[in-house]
Amino acid sequence: MALPEADWIWMDGALVPWPDAKVHVLTHALHYGTGVLEGTRVFATSTGPAVFRLDEHLRRLADSATILGFPLPYDTAALRTATLELVRANGHFECYLRHVAYIGYGDMGPLFREGADVGVTIAGWQWADHLGAETGGQGIRLATVSWRRNDPNALPPAAKATAGYLNSTLAKTSAVRAGYDDALMLSADGFVSECSVANIFAVHDGILYTPPASSGALRGITRDTVLTLAADLGVPVRVENMLRSDLYTADEVFVSGTATGIAPVASIDDRVVRPGGSVVREIRAAYTAAVTGVDERYAHWLTRVSE
Ligand code: PMP
């Protein structure tokens, strides 16, 4: 896939033409995975483009850096301004945004040295809901893979660390090479954790379940959105550990994520799930109404790009 390029990338305080946003081959993060990232979406609304839950994404970026133990050189207010400036400069009505903060050039070895160079970039491009697009909306086929989710005491999954994505890459590649759309990962102690870049949900007898963060699942912002929307729709929600067999026997299974949106699951390890049941349909509709500003109850989740 070639990335659909845009005009500008925000890099260390300035807008830089897309082809010029480059780093040195001895950038620390390239060698040691010492970076943190965020994926955020801009949606078209009737009053212009709006970033969905921008403050929560920027908060999580700062939290990720805190967990790894390096400071971000910009505060949330500065990154908020920079994000909106970039979207305006690129003229995007909707796009995917990627923030990354990383240890730059000048150090080698695994230590986070006080005063090490930290680079920050924000890029935006057109990116469809990738799993939905790949499966034509028919529901995704998941396979439990042998790779376990990062252990919280080895590589904290609560931090969106670039290094942590090797876990997702191994899992996703293994599932796709076996003929599936995405991987289901289990925690080291065998509970359901999450997919390669998406949280997982199951519905049993009208109750919505999702695994806790202690399973290694990211506290996804779309996951939080789903839990809020479900509660507002009167669907009871429970955050608790699940076994893979709980997914096999669920009435409905779906995944959520910024890049993915909300995608129904068609099968897990070849056990077919009822396609597009009513809870996933209702939550998807509520999500679309929230992100596009149609449901004004969730207007506080939107930051207008023209602000
Ligand atoms: N899990 C992982 C490992 C992810 O990378 C993502 C994408 N950020 C998610 C879950 C979904 O999180 P969110 O809804 O915040 O995009």
Side-chain angles (χ1 to χ4, degrees), residues 39 57 60 149 160 165 168 194-199 218-223 256-259:
H57 281 282
R60 191 170 63 183
R149 181 67 182 134
K160 278 175 69 75
Y165 281 88
S168 299
E194 61 179 343
C195 298
S196 62
V197 289
N199 290 109
L218 184 72
R219 287 183 211 274
I221 289 167
T222 322
R223 171 183 179 269
S256 78
T258 298

Side-chain angles (χ1 to χ4, degrees), residues 5-172:
E5 295 182 5
D7 291 337
W8 301 100
I9 287 181
W10 187 94
M11 189 170 191
D12 302 324
L15 291 174
V16 173
W18 181 287
D20 300 338
K22 292 183 177 155
V23 294
H24 195 275
V25 291
L26 294 181
T27 295
H28 195 268
L30 186 60
H31 299 252
Y32 301 105
T34 45
V36 294
L37 59 85
E38 269 304 314
T40 306
R41 265 194 194 278
V42 175
F43 291 91
T45 78
S46 61
T47 53
V51 191
F52 188 63
R53 305 194 70 172
L54 176 59
D55 290 341
E56 289 90 331
H57 281 282
L58 293 177
R59 170 69 201 265
R60 191 170 63 183
L61 185 73
D63 286 348
S64 292
T66 300
I67 292 169
L68 297 200
F70 71 84
L72 288 185
Y74 301 94
D75 64 15
T76 299
L79 291 176
R80 194 175 198 274
T81 304
T83 305
L84 301 179
E85 183 191 0
L86 175 79
V87 178
R88 279 196 297 271
N90 281 332
H92 279 142
F93 288 101
E94 51 189 1
C95 66
Y96 176 85
L97 292 172
R98 171 58 57 82
H99 293 71
V100 60
Y102 57 95
I103 307 294
Y105 178 82
D107 286 274
M108 275 291 148
L111 179 71
F112 279 136
R113 186 182 55 79
E114 272 308 294
D117 173 57
V118 178
V120 181
T121 68
I122 314 169
W125 65 87
Q126 234 82 55
W127 212 16
D129 292 355
H130 66 289
L131 281 172
E134 276 167 23
T135 60
Q138 290 307 300
I140 58 175
R141 298 174 59 245
L142 293 181
T144 310
V145 293
S146 58
W147 299 103
R148 294 302 172 102
R149 181 67 182 134
N150 286 330
D151 184 273
N153 291 307
L155 206 170
K160 278 175 69 75
T162 56
Y165 281 88
L166 186 53
N167 185 224
S168 299
T169 301
L170 290 168
K172 171 90 180 179

